[in-house]
Amino acid sequence: MNKKIVILPGDGIGKEVTAEGKRVLQKVADVFDHSFVFEEAQIGHEAIEATGNPLPDESLMKLKDCDAILFGAVGHPKYDNDPTLKVRPEQGLLKMRKELGLYANLRPIKLFDELLGASSIKPEILKGSDILFFRELTGDVYFGEKGKKDDGNTAYDLMIYQRFEIERIAHKAFAAARTRKKKVVSVDKANVLESSRLWRQVVTEVGQHYPDVQLEHQFVDAAAMKLIQNPRSFDVVLTGNLFGDILTDEASQIAGSMGMLASASVGDTVGLYEPIHGSAHDITGQGIANPLASILSAALLLDISFGWKEESEMIIRAVEQALKKGYRTRDIRDAATDEKKILSTSEMGRVVRDEMERIAKTQWA
Ligand code: IPM
Ligand code: MG
């Protein structure tokens, strides 16, 4: 099966971790006799330096003509404290989401048992947590009208949602809930925001098409608290762009580390897969970034875009095995970690591929 995958490493550790995600995809191709054509494209700070544009047309053309995308991260510290810079790496990511119609961001928060000790939350509270976030990705304050007035002394970003934007992601969340514990928590701020009141109304209406799925509404502040207080009380969480951005970073602590979390952005066309972590310039170039979020993103890619469950499952099991054998990157070590088993980015990638090889051999021996 010939599939074209665009690799979009981006900035900072994006490059380091995506290289490992790609190698794992190559390993899948070898083991299962698939063939992938990989193409690279530029985005973010790197693309600005090369072309002045955070998402050059050449990249966009490649993205529109492929079967799936594996993305790293964008960002650079030089922009973070300089609000005067007009062209910014993140614009490339936002434009890509909009242009490709990637309106649903799925962020599964699943804790590998081996990492129970790596989180700052107590193990007995965490154990068994398994949450699937549906974050809306192409609306909200991210894309509402923004601007400045009063000689730059007033600035605004409009929080705006249209019915069809809420409906389409709500359907996805309810449909997913049917395959899980049949429970959706929809998060908003309907006690204050008009856009949240529409959100709540539309989600309730969509929910009526799924009478077998239980729907609960929570305000975002309460949801933020409950996520840490009792993560097991959540199954599918449905929310808007901004609240979803914040809550999923928080929820990453339930999985031990940001370095573990993969995500899928889907809409009506091609799917994009990426770690939820950023470009992390503080550790760039040291070879210590955790590649598992990118590797698990590759697993999501095979499952969601290609429908290849077995291939996807093999990657997840290989990651599980690597963790079971005590291998860690720095971000997921705990008091029990054997210092000798703390691996670099590329070593962790190698260990996962070796485990895949082992699984393939025992399955078909
Ligand atoms: C994310 C990131 C992005 C976002 C940034 C880099 C624009 O934080 O994917 O969660 O806010 O959506
Ligand atoms: Mg974020």
Side-chain angles (χ1 to χ4, degrees):
M1 182 85 61
N2 229 322
K3 299 269 191 197
K4 198 198 277 184
I5 301 175
V6 172
I7 305 288
L8 207 54
D11 303 320
I13 61 164
K15 289 196 198 325
E16 300 163 36
V17 299
T18 310
E20 299 310 317
K22 179 182 169 186
R23 286 193 184 112
V24 159
L25 286 172
Q26 190 53 57
K27 178 57 97 186
V28 166
D30 297 346
V31 168
F32 289 86
D33 225 2
H34 297 307
S35 110
F36 296 137
V37 176
F38 293 107
E39 265 191 26
E40 283 230 359
Q42 285 187 325
I43 190 168
H45 170 69
E46 178 195 68
I48 296 175
E49 296 283 288
T51 69
N53 183 345
L55 184 66
D57 288 346
E58 196 195 328
S59 295
L60 198 51
M61 262 163 48
K62 288 184 186 166
L63 297 173
K64 286 184 172 168
D65 177 36
C66 69
D67 297 302
I69 304 162
L70 186 69
F71 168 60
V74 289
H76 191 277
K78 90 171 203 199
Y79 304 86
D80 293 347
N81 296 317
D82 186 352
T84 65
L85 291 170
K86 291 267 177 290
V87 180
R88 314 179 69 82
E90 290 79 5
Q91 291 161 347
L93 176 57
L94 299 184
K95 182 171 167 203
M96 173 167 71
R97 288 173 178 168
K98 198 71 170 178
E99 290 269 340
L100 299 178
L102 302 170
Y103 63 81
N105 185 214
L106 281 66
R107 297 190 161 180
I109 314 282
K110 207 168 155 42
L111 174 70
F112 288 92
D113 276 347
E114 292 72 29
L115 298 185
L116 266 174
S119 173
S120 44
I121 307 171
K122 289 191 199 113
E124 62 269 28
I125 291 183
L126 283 182
K127 199 165 168 45
S129 299
D130 181 0
I131 308 173
L132 177 58
F133 272 86
F134 279 78
R135 168 189 174 195
E136 200 287 329
L137 208 55
T138 53
D140 206 339
V141 285
Y142 277 71
F143 294 94
E145 189 193 329
K146 50 184 78 228
K148 282 188 174 172
K149 50 188 187 182
D150 304 333
D151 289 333
N153 291 309
T154 302
Y156 56 91
D157 301 271
L158 181 67
M159 184 176 267
I160 180 165
Y161 265 116
Q162 300 179 64
R163 168 176 285 275
F164 82 95
E165 295 175 310
I166 305 167
E167 275 172 358
R168 62 187 180 180
I169 186 152
H171 277 293
K172 282 207 188 289
F174 280 104
R178 273 196 168 150
T179 69
R180 298 170 51 101
K181 293 189 200 125
K182 299 190 168 51
K183 189 180 164 200
V184 171
V185 169
S186 174
V187 176
D188 62 37
K189 187 74 185 170
N191 49 346
V192 177
L193 302 171
E194 203 59 67
S195 54
S196 278
R197 286 193 275 273
L198 179 67
W199 180 278
R200 191 172 280 219
Q201 179 193 335
V202 174
V203 170
T204 305
E205 285 168 22
V206 171
Q208 282 158 3
H209 297 278
Y210 302 82
D212 51 323
V213 178
Q214 182 203 336
L215 168 63
E216 185 190 333
H217 300 282
Q218 286 182 15
F219 296 136
V220 62
D221 46 356
M225 185 267 290
K226 284 183 193 157
L227 262 177
I228 297 299
Q229 184 192 43
N230 186 10
R232 273 194 303 270
S233 69
F234 293 89
D235 182 35
V236 169
V237 179
L238 165 63
T239 189
N241 204 345
L242 182 64
F243 299 153
D245 179 45
I246 299 166
L247 291 179
T248 52
D249 265 29
E250 181 193 358
S252 72
Q253 283 311 297
I254 297 167
S257 161
M258 285 268 268
M260 294 301 298
L261 286 195
S263 91
S265 299
V266 298
D268 299 320
T269 56
V270 66
L272 177 139
Y273 302 83
E274 60 169 307
I276 85 157
H277 64 68
S279 50
H281 281 267
D282 52 332
I283 59 163
T284 297
Q286 298 177 35
I288 58 171
N290 184 349
L292 294 178
S294 181
I295 288 171
L296 292 168
S297 296
L300 275 181
L301 181 157
L302 298 173
D303 180 1
I304 298 177
S305 275
F306 301 166
W308 295 353
K309 300 269 176 231
E310 202 185 336
E311 287 85 339
S312 174
E313 199 50 43
M314 176 188 270
I315 298 177
I316 297 168
R317 277 182 48 206
V319 168
E320 219 163 52
Q321 284 304 319
L323 295 173
K324 265 208 184 93
K325 291 186 176 169
Y327 295 113
R328 299 285 186 273
T329 43
R330 275 150 222 273
D331 57 309
I332 47 174
R333 74 167 158 208
D334 61 31
T337 302
D338 173 355
E339 292 291 313
K340 290 194 287 297
K341 290 190 171 169
I342 295 181
L343 305 182
S344 71
T345 310
S346 58
E347 285 165 348
M348 184 57 107
R350 154 75 50 208
V351 164
V352 171
R353 296 196 304 281
D354 287 350
E355 288 302 328
M356 288 169 70
E357 190 91 25
R358 200 158 292 134
I359 294 168
K361 279 201 186 112
T362 51
Q363 248 166 16
W364 295 306

